Amino acid sequence: QVQLVESGGGLVQAGGSLRLSCAASGRIFSGYAMGWFRQAPGKERAFVAWIMWSGTNTLYADSAKGRFTISRDNGKNTVYLQMNSLKPEETAGYYCARWSGTGSEYDPSTYEYWGQGTQVTVSS
């Protein structure tokens, strides 16, 4: 059983930074690509970033490019999301997930396992 636990969320002022972590339990982590999504109340879950298992390839939503950085430490079974210059409209629950390996990396339905999420609130 793969379990994902996010942490690092909180309240931050607009323009501030947060670093989210997603710790994975279970033996299946280092061989899989991982992604971050976010979901605001009343909205669909939206793609934020994706990283290949080796860490060499990454993808970002247009809104995240240049401000967010996804990384991973396979020795610690952890994936990170560094978020800079945060905006109030980015207030949401942030979720990490393990990609199935097939289908679009941008589509949440192609992810097999999800964490419970961590709340990020950006005040104006």
Side-chain angles (χ1 to χ4, degrees):
Q1 182 75 15
V2 175
Q3 293 182 339
L4 303 172
V5 180
E6 301 94 336
S7 62
L11 175 64
V12 63
Q13 289 187 334
S17 299
L18 283 174
R19 188 194 194 203
L20 306 184
S21 299
C22 172
S25 63
R27 59 184 178 90
I28 303 176
F29 174 78
S30 61
Y32 286 84
M34 300 291 293
W36 283 98
F37 287 76
R38 63 189 177 195
Q39 187 168 21
K43 296 189 177 181
E44 294 185 350
R45 192 161 292 191
F47 172 81
V48 177
W50 171 96
I51 186 167
M52 182 180 284
W53 70 269
S54 65
T56 54
N57 282 17
T58 57
L59 296 170
Y60 294 94
D62 287 344
S63 60
K65 290 178 182 176
R67 297 185 300 119
F68 291 10
T69 302
I70 188 171
S71 62
R72 63 191 296 162
D73 184 337
N74 289 340
K76 296 182 178 180
N77 285 357
T78 301
V79 62
Y80 305 97
L81 184 67
Q82 176 68 43
M83 304 186 295
N84 299 328
S85 301
L86 282 161
K87 305 173 183 180
E89 56 265 37
E90 294 178 313
T91 293
Y94 282 71
Y95 301 85
C96 68
R98 193 185 85 176
W99 189 49
S100 66
T102 59
S104 171
E105 297 89 340
Y106 300 88
D107 182 354
S109 71
T110 65
Y111 290 74
E112 297 174 310
Y113 296 96
W114 293 83
Q116 84 291 345
T118 186
Q119 179 66 32
V120 171
T121 302
V122 185
S123 64
S124 57

